[in-house]
Amino acid sequence: MTDGPTTAPMRKAYARWAPIYDIVYDKLTEPAARAAVNAAVACGPRVLEAGVGTGLALGYYPAHAEVHGVDLSEDMLRRAQEKVEKRGLTHVKSLQVMDVTHLSFADETFDAVTAQFIITLVPEPEVALSEFARVLKPGGEIVLANHFGQASGPIAALEELASPIAKAIGWSSAFKASRVEAWARSTGRMEVVELKSLFPAGFFKLMRIRKSA
Ligand SMILES: C[S@@+](CC[C@H](N)C(=O)[O-])C[C@H]1O[C@@H](n2cnc3c(N)ncnc32)[C@H](O)[C@@H]1O
């Protein structure tokens, strides 16, 4: 994969995060990751983990699943590969370096595409979402787990104040769920079917977006 002006800084950042990523994120993201995995496999066994990272969620899949993971960062993927080998996660069928805005999978390959804690990091999220929609089978779902900023009100104002801190740890409050909802409407064939608050205290959300059958 050749680096562009947006992918190079991201790969560099996650080369630094990779050695400490699991220590920081594992317990904090586990409930949201488990909810995303359950929603994804409910659509069928063939799942794409977009931005799979160190593979924290890979152990939450049932044995009958067929999971393919992609990520920009070789450093993160190496750790995911180690987990697959150490834990014998035979349901993980491939782990590849790939940009989620340029997926090399054929149209209508997957029952579900899940992207956990990544969509707000991608400079062109609509391009990534359109790629997820393309590789989804009709009736399949995009399952996002993420922090999304509040649309308005006192919490939104607080988030605005805290945004430099949130950005530093990788969670921007500037990105609202309404941006994904607007993208779904613009496609004419994707529909947000669930937006659910999760641990901790609703900070993370699960969003399911279904492709019409
Ligand atoms: C916060 S981590 C989340 C990792 C994993 N999904 C998890 O929940 O632990 C974000 C991941 O997205 C990856 N990423 C960011 N932009 C990407 C892109 N355009 N294509 C593929 N992966 C990307 C990063 O390399 C990083 O591994």
Side-chain angles (χ1 to χ4, degrees):
M1 207 194 80
T2 48
D3 258 336
T6 54
T7 53
M10 187 68 68
R11 278 154 64 95
K12 230 173 158 182
Y14 276 94
R16 283 198 301 270
W17 265 115
I20 54 161
Y21 186 88
D22 288 8
I23 300 162
V24 178
Y25 286 91
D26 189 10
K27 290 297 160 220
L28 192 59
T29 58
E30 182 180 340
R34 283 189 184 277
V37 166
N38 290 342
V41 289
C43 299
R46 230 172 133 75
V47 178
L48 174 65
E49 273 256 355
V52 62
T54 61
L56 278 180
L58 293 176
Y60 306 149
Y61 285 86
H64 74 272
E66 297 165 29
V67 183
H68 296 260
V70 300
D71 202 284
L72 271 186
S73 166
E74 283 158 33
D75 296 80
M76 296 289 274
L77 278 178
R78 199 172 314 122
R79 283 166 170 82
Q81 187 62 47
E82 281 165 15
K83 282 190 187 72
V84 168
E85 285 161 21
K86 264 193 209 147
R87 300 185 197 169
L89 304 178
T90 53
H91 58 276
V92 179
K93 302 303 177 194
S94 76
L95 292 171
Q96 300 176 63
V97 177
M98 206 182 289
D99 183 345
V100 295
T101 62
H102 294 96
L103 295 175
S104 65
F105 299 101
D107 297 357
E108 303 185 1
T109 301
F110 296 101
D111 297 304
V113 177
T114 176
Q116 300 162 25
F117 312 104
I118 154 172
I119 199 67
T120 55
L121 296 169
V122 180
E124 297 175 296
E126 288 82 6
V127 178
L129 289 164
S130 296
E131 275 295 83
F132 299 165
R134 179 183 68 75
V135 300
L136 257 189
K137 293 179 189 171
E141 291 184 11
I142 299 172
V143 180
L144 304 178
N146 228 97
H147 171 63
F148 295 110
Q150 296 289 319
S152 58
I155 303 285
L158 266 181
E159 283 184 346
E160 209 53 53
L161 280 175
S163 69
I165 306 163
K167 214 172 168 189
I169 58 167
W171 291 315
S172 166
S173 290
F175 193 112
K176 319 283 184 205
S178 56
R179 184 164 177 179
V180 181
E181 288 162 344
W183 166 82
R185 274 194 304 276
S186 76
T187 66
R189 58 183 313 203
M190 302 296 298
E191 187 192 355
V192 176
V193 290
E194 186 175 21
L195 179 60
K196 188 162 83 177
S197 295
L198 299 170
F199 175 90
F203 184 76
F204 294 137
K205 302 251 183 318
L206 181 85
M207 187 188 267
R208 292 172 41 223
I209 312 152
R210 188 173 299 149
K211 185 173 182 174
S212 53

